């Protein structure tokens, strides 16, 4: 019973923090400079890991799919399979998981350190709302940069798939790009852009919540960081299932 009570308490606290983070957007002060700083740290700082993830995922997809497609004499559809897999599913999910590992843990560690050194209490004493100053700028930065990072991951994934298709499978360049781009329709592009918005919100909110609920000094900061990565990763995968189901229902 104690476990259930704690779980319900955490869900309630997380929901209340999420509501405050969203409603803060419509209330002054708005801390634009802090938001821009977080967008730079989260978006620009994650470019390297996102590009590498997308590039090698596309390459692996081309390698693996070619083996299966050869059995049906359909290797020329490699570009189509790579583009649909990346844009509908792997691009958004893998980008979100990378962001959960890099950004979610960083936010939890940063805010957790501020909590254990009583900087957050000092902020409250001076009349500053931590949810406005610390949470909302980070959540906005995650929500706005996540779709852009996902698009980059998709583009470099297609590039990685093309390199493997050209040099390993001897597939014609024009054929690869034609099948890859023609396979994508409006619904696929929309799905590839909507999912990252929700994933960015999850990563930002979980990092902030775990950081602000840190207890137990430096050891607590480490635990909060680990919990942030694990919780955000699980929630991203669960949210991906439900978002995919909703979008499939809307499509048909």
């Amino acid at each position: 019973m104690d476990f259930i009570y704690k779980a319900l308490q955490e869900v309630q606290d997380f929901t209340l923090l999420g509501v405050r983070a969203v409603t803060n957007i419509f209330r002054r002060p708005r801390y634009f400079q802090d938001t821009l700083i977080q967008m730079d740290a989260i978006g620009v700082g994650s470019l390297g890991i996102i590009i590498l993830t997308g590039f090698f995922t596309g390459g692996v997809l081309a390698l693996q799919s070619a083996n299966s497609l050869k059995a049906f004499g359909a290797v020329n559809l490699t570009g189509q399979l790579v583009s649909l897999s990346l844009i509908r599913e792997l691009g958004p999910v893998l980008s979100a998981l990378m962001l959960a590992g890099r950004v979610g843990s960083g936010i939890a560690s940063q805010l957790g350190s501020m909590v254990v050194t009583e900087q957050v209490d000092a902020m409250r004493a001076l009349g500053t709302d931590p949810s406005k100053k610390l949470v909302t700028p980070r959540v906005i930065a995650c929500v706005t940069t996540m779709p852009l990072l996902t698009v980059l991951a998709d583009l470099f994934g297609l590039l990685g798939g093309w390199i493997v298709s050209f040099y390993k499978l001897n597939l014609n360049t024009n054929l690869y790009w034609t099948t890859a781009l023609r396979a994508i329709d409006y619904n696929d592009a929309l799905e590839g852009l909507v999912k990252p918005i929700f994933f960015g919100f999850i990563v930002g909110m979980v990092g902030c919540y775990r950081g602000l609920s840190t207890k137990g000094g430096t050891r607590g900061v480490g635990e909060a960081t680990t919990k942030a990565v694990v919780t955000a990763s699980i929630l991203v995968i669960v949210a991906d299932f439900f978002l995919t189901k909703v979008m499939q229902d809307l499509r048909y």
Side-chain angles (χ1 to χ4, degrees):
M1 289 299 292
D2 190 47
F3 170 77
I4 296 174
Y5 173 77
K6 285 183 179 177
L8 291 175
Q9 185 68 46
E10 285 205 344
V11 171
Q12 176 183 297
D13 294 343
F14 181 82
T15 305
L16 289 175
L17 185 63
V19 171
R20 281 205 297 273
V22 174
T23 54
N24 285 339
I25 298 172
F26 308 102
R27 295 190 296 143
R28 295 177 182 275
R30 294 194 174 91
Y31 301 106
F32 287 118
Q33 189 174 358
D34 289 351
T35 305
L36 290 176
I37 291 172
Q38 292 302 322
M39 289 173 72
D40 177 60
I42 293 170
V44 179
S46 302
L47 281 177
I49 191 172
I50 291 296
I51 287 172
L52 283 174
T53 301
F55 182 83
F56 286 105
T57 300
V60 169
L61 275 175
L63 279 176
Q64 294 286 8
S65 60
N67 289 330
S68 302
L69 292 173
K70 272 181 184 175
F72 302 98
V75 180
N76 57 342
L77 296 178
T78 301
Q80 177 178 341
L81 195 147
V82 170
S83 66
L84 288 178
S85 301
L86 274 173
I87 291 171
R88 283 183 180 177
E89 193 62 40
L90 293 178
V93 172
L94 290 179
S95 299
L97 294 178
M98 290 298 108
L99 218 65
R102 181 187 176 276
V103 175
S105 62
I107 291 174
S109 173
Q110 188 181 27
L111 298 191
S113 300
M114 293 179 70
V115 169
V116 298
T117 55
E118 299 182 351
Q119 292 180 57
V120 175
D121 290 336
M123 196 176 288
R124 288 195 183 96
L126 292 172
T128 302
D129 183 354
S131 70
K132 273 188 182 179
K133 174 74 174 172
L134 301 176
V135 178
T136 300
R138 285 167 173 77
V139 173
I140 291 175
C142 286
V143 169
T144 53
T145 56
M146 187 72 215
L148 301 175
L149 291 171
T150 302
V151 170
L152 271 179
D154 293 340
L155 291 175
F156 277 89
L158 287 171
L159 185 64
W162 167 70
I163 290 176
V164 170
S165 299
F166 183 75
Y167 289 102
K168 179 72 176 174
L169 309 176
N170 297 319
L171 200 65
N172 181 276
T173 297
N174 187 45
L175 178 62
Y176 173 85
W177 286 107
T178 301
T179 55
L181 297 178
R182 281 185 178 174
I184 306 166
D185 60 19
Y186 171 78
N187 290 316
D188 296 324
L190 184 65
E191 186 173 340
L193 290 175
V194 169
K195 282 183 177 180
I197 295 174
F198 288 91
F199 295 162
F201 182 80
I202 290 171
V203 171
M205 276 304 306
V206 170
C208 291
Y209 173 74
R210 289 299 184 193
L212 290 177
S213 58
T214 300
K215 294 176 183 174
T218 53
R219 182 179 176 182
V221 174
E223 290 177 354
T225 303
T226 304
K227 286 180 180 177
V229 176
V230 173
T231 308
S233 300
I234 292 172
L235 288 180
V236 163
I237 292 170
V238 173
D240 180 53
F241 171 80
F242 288 105
L243 287 171
T244 301
K245 182 71 174 67
V246 169
M247 289 182 179
Q248 283 184 348
D249 291 343
L250 291 175
R251 182 178 298 192
Y252 301 109

